[in-house]
Amino acid sequence: RRVHGGLLPHTAVLDFALPYLDHVHGLATDPHWQVAAQLLCLAALLLEQLPPRHPSERALVSLATEVLTPYSAISVKKIGLSVLAGALRAQPSLAGPYVAVLLSLPHSLRESLLRVDSVPFLIPSQVPCVPHYTLPPPTHSWQPSLIASAIVDSVNALHLEALEREHVAILRVALRTEPRGAELPSAPVWARVWNALFQFIFVALVDDDTAADAVGVLNELLTLLPQLVMDVLTTHQPTLIGTMRMLVRVGSTKTQQIAAEWLGSLYRQGGPWQQVVGQLLLSTTASEVGPNGAPLQRLQAQIQEASQRL
């Protein structure tokens, strides 16, 4: 706290704390959540201050991952996810365990914790000698592309055939929090993430629980790297046609409507988007699009009518 208050130089915390690291690590199994919270705050501060390849780096990462797990108390998870978010850039090996904890949160809690427009949140300490924890949302300091890469690793490690609701939701927030600009240094990382997950995202359009976030992922990617979306619409058109067939066969009216609204919004942008969406829908027959009155069929009919007027 003295370091953060400017009373001590940042290097002083290393001199004070590192000699006691082995002893501190012995507290990792302490059952009281306040001890776990303090250990995570200390580990995060040290990890952000350590010079590259410091001998204590591995021990601090081990401490953080031992204290913060999917089975930790909710207060410990919230504190750990907040304070460690800024350390991910310097310690990318933390990303996998970090995302595992994110995935373990109840959906409503994860949603409130990751709101981009949220303000610092308060966790009462319940201990007289420890002030309340006032913490910034993780999205204010995490590295979005690193989070997305960890999602890919999680999906591959679990051999998932479809994304769960939490995977799609976290991926959507990561895309939304990636800084926009004329140059995007993380573009190659996002390209790898998209190439690994685009089929999963299209399948997610069929599920009531994931369809809205799947479209959110597509829309965020459209503002970040629109060429990736265009490449999929042109190169992998059979995949999209297969998705529409799945929507008709097992999708609800809700999921069909979500997909139709997304494709319709692309079509209304005109230019190459109108052309590629038009080709996609006009290349299918009515039986492939759906029964009479289905949202996708209505969109197809509108596009057919527009093409006939041209």
Side-chain angles (χ1 to χ4, degrees), residues 267 274 282 301-310:
Y267 183 80
Q274 185 178 77
L282 295 179
Q302 293 169 9
I303 292 175
Q304 284 177 331
E305 182 181 348
S307 66
Q308 291 170 359
R309 291 198 302 264
L310 296 177

Side-chain angles (χ1 to χ4, degrees), residues 107-280:
H107 181 72
S108 58
L109 176 57
R110 182 177 54 253
E111 190 175 43
S112 64
L113 189 66
L114 297 184
R115 284 185 56 189
V116 178
D117 58 348
S118 58
V119 297
F121 57 92
L122 178 72
I123 298 179
S125 73
Q126 301 174 350
V127 176
C129 64
V130 179
H132 296 323
Y133 298 88
T134 303
L135 302 164
T139 54
H140 288 192
S141 55
W142 72 5
Q143 187 175 355
S145 59
L146 191 60
I147 297 295
S149 294
I151 290 289
V152 173
D153 293 339
S154 173
V155 170
N156 291 337
L158 296 173
H159 304 290
L160 296 181
E161 295 183 358
L163 296 180
E164 302 292 343
R165 182 184 189 185
E166 49 267 29
H167 293 105
V168 188
I170 295 172
L171 185 61
R172 180 181 184 179
V173 176
L175 277 162
R176 187 184 305 163
T177 52
E178 179 69 43
R180 269 59 171 170
E183 295 185 3
L184 185 64
S186 60
V189 178
W190 282 113
R192 288 194 296 271
V193 168
W194 179 241
N195 287 334
L197 295 182
F198 77 87
Q199 293 188 58
F200 288 96
I201 295 300
F202 287 142
V203 172
L205 291 170
V206 184
D207 190 318
D208 279 9
D209 290 334
T210 58
D213 277 328
V215 166
V217 166
L218 292 166
N219 284 332
E220 294 294 343
L221 193 65
L222 196 62
T223 65
L224 188 69
L225 293 165
Q227 190 55 46
L228 286 181
V229 180
M230 176 62 78
D231 287 346
V232 167
L233 289 173
T234 53
T235 308
H236 300 282
Q237 195 171 97
T239 302
L240 265 179
I241 294 175
T243 299
M244 288 194 295
R245 289 172 176 163
M246 288 177 63
L247 279 166
V248 172
R249 188 170 63 251
V250 298
S252 65
T253 301
K254 173 185 174 181
T255 56
Q256 289 189 49
Q257 185 65 43
I258 289 172
E261 288 176 357
W262 175 63
L263 291 169
S265 67
L266 289 181
Y267 183 80
R268 288 188 292 275
Q269 289 188 35
W273 296 106
Q274 185 178 77
Q275 181 180 3
V276 71
V277 173
Q279 289 175 348
L280 172 67

Side-chain angles (χ1 to χ4, degrees), residues 27-35:
L27 299 173
T29 57
D30 192 290
H32 298 288
W33 76 265
Q34 288 279 6
V35 175

Side-chain angles (χ1 to χ4, degrees), residues 52-76:
R53 299 181 181 178
H54 192 278
S56 297
E57 182 179 283
R58 181 176 298 180
L60 283 168
V61 170
S62 174
L63 174 63
T65 55
E66 185 174 348
V67 175
L68 182 65
T69 75
Y71 308 102
S72 300
I74 289 294
S75 294
V76 174

